[in-house]
Amino acid sequence: ALAAEVDALTAALANAATAAEVAALQTALTTAQADLTELLAANNVYTGNLTINTASTLTAAEALGNKLSIINGNVTITQNAANDLNATTLQSVVDKMVTITGTMTYTQSGTGVTAVDFTNLTGVTDLKVDQEAPVSFPALVSAANVTVASNSKVTSVSLPK
């Protein structure tokens, strides 16, 4: 639709004969640019599988910003002593995730490795969690299957909604 509007503006500009017509075309072009800017700002969808298991993949995920609000694919996060992911950065990335159309797999282990909280995740097709800490998904309202691995360090599981 936007391409058609730009094509129409280009064709009209080729036939513009007066300053008034040029001004009208400029106004239409400004409106089209504003529409494009709004569309780009609303692009909060990431399509594809997302894996976070190294500092590099965490940096790449962080660069996606608000596109992580809706992930059209699977998400796999492995956080352990060996990959030494920055817990604060990982938490910031996870906080952006609201809906995942595929499977969310989160594995956390190791002494001194701080588990993240999925406080904003509201929907996922399947959820698989294996962590050495209490499990909490306070905003989760939709999941077809939820699997929490048995671990002696999981002292509670909370899925209140």
Side-chain angles (χ1 to χ4, degrees):
L2 185 59
E5 189 174 335
V6 170
D7 288 343
L9 288 170
T10 302
L13 184 58
N15 297 322
T18 68
E21 289 174 328
V22 171
L25 288 171
Q26 181 59 48
T27 300
L29 185 58
T30 301
T31 301
Q33 180 63 42
D35 291 345
L36 177 60
T37 301
E38 184 179 326
L39 280 171
L40 291 174
N43 185 13
N44 63 346
V45 178
Y46 175 77
T47 299
N49 295 330
L50 179 66
T51 299
I52 301 173
N53 58 4
T54 65
S56 296
T57 57
L58 177 57
T59 299
E62 182 181 28
L64 292 170
N66 289 332
K67 283 189 173 192
L68 296 178
S69 178
I70 301 170
I71 300 173
N72 188 16
N74 300 316
V75 175
T76 303
I77 300 174
T78 304
Q79 181 188 19
N80 55 42
N83 66 16
D84 194 28
L85 296 179
N86 180 298
T88 302
T89 303
L90 181 57
Q91 184 63 60
S92 173
V93 167
V94 167
D95 284 346
K96 292 180 179 4
M97 297 177 187
V98 177
T99 302
I100 299 169
T101 64
T103 299
M104 167 64 187
T105 304
Y106 175 64
T107 305
Q108 177 268 337
S109 65
T111 303
V113 177
T114 304
V116 296
D117 298 314
F118 292 85
T119 55
N120 297 322
L121 185 65
T122 61
V124 62
T125 300
D126 294 315
L127 177 63
K128 299 176 182 178
V129 180
D130 183 356
Q131 71 183 41
E132 297 177 351
V135 175
S136 178
F137 289 82
L140 189 66
V141 294
S142 175
N145 298 297
V146 176
T147 305
V148 178
S150 177
N151 187 310
S152 63
K153 294 184 181 179
V154 175
T155 57
S156 66
V157 175
S158 176
L159 302 137
K161 292 188 179 194

